[in-house]
Amino acid sequence: MGDSEIIEHLWQRLENAISEVKEKYHRLCLKVSNSITMNIMDAEECVSDSYLKLWNAIPPDRPNSLKAFLLRIVKNTSIDRLRK
């Protein structure tokens, strides 16, 4: 499924949207988060929290790039976890 379709599913609040995001981007999100937190358990929790933040952000936001939007959320969530 393409990013524009996933964004549309998120916009319509279809339940399969997050599972599609996970299928497509989970390993990349985990890699980014782990490179920041340096702890796989924290990284997994950050990625999970990021999916919820993504769900809550669309709508009202409608990003041009789902990948960039999601990775920004993952990065910020991971940095917040590192600061704690």
Side-chain angles (χ1 to χ4, degrees):
M1 180 178 289
D3 285 0
S4 60
E5 291 174 274
I6 295 172
I7 291 169
E8 188 58 36
H9 285 194
L10 286 165
W11 192 265
Q12 294 175 8
R13 293 299 201 207
L14 299 178
E15 292 181 18
N16 71 329
I18 294 299
S19 61
E20 292 293 336
V21 170
K22 286 181 183 179
E23 183 179 318
K24 190 166 185 178
Y25 292 115
H26 185 75
R27 288 194 316 198
L28 178 60
C29 291
L30 198 56
K31 182 177 178 179
V32 168
S33 183
N34 192 45
S35 71
I36 295 168
T37 63
M38 303 303 267
N39 181 312
I40 193 65
M41 293 177 74
D42 284 345
E44 288 173 354
E45 191 170 331
C46 289
V47 171
S48 180
D49 291 348
S50 297
Y51 294 142
L52 177 61
K53 290 177 182 182
L54 176 68
W55 180 260
N56 290 330
I58 300 175
D61 290 335
R62 191 176 207 120
N64 292 327
S65 171
L66 177 63
K67 181 178 177 180
F69 192 78
L70 175 59
L71 289 179
R72 181 175 53 100
I73 293 171
V74 169
K75 177 190 70 144
N76 290 338
T77 302
S78 300
I79 289 171
D80 289 346
R81 172 60 55 95
L82 190 61
R83 288 180 180 154
K84 287 181 183 182

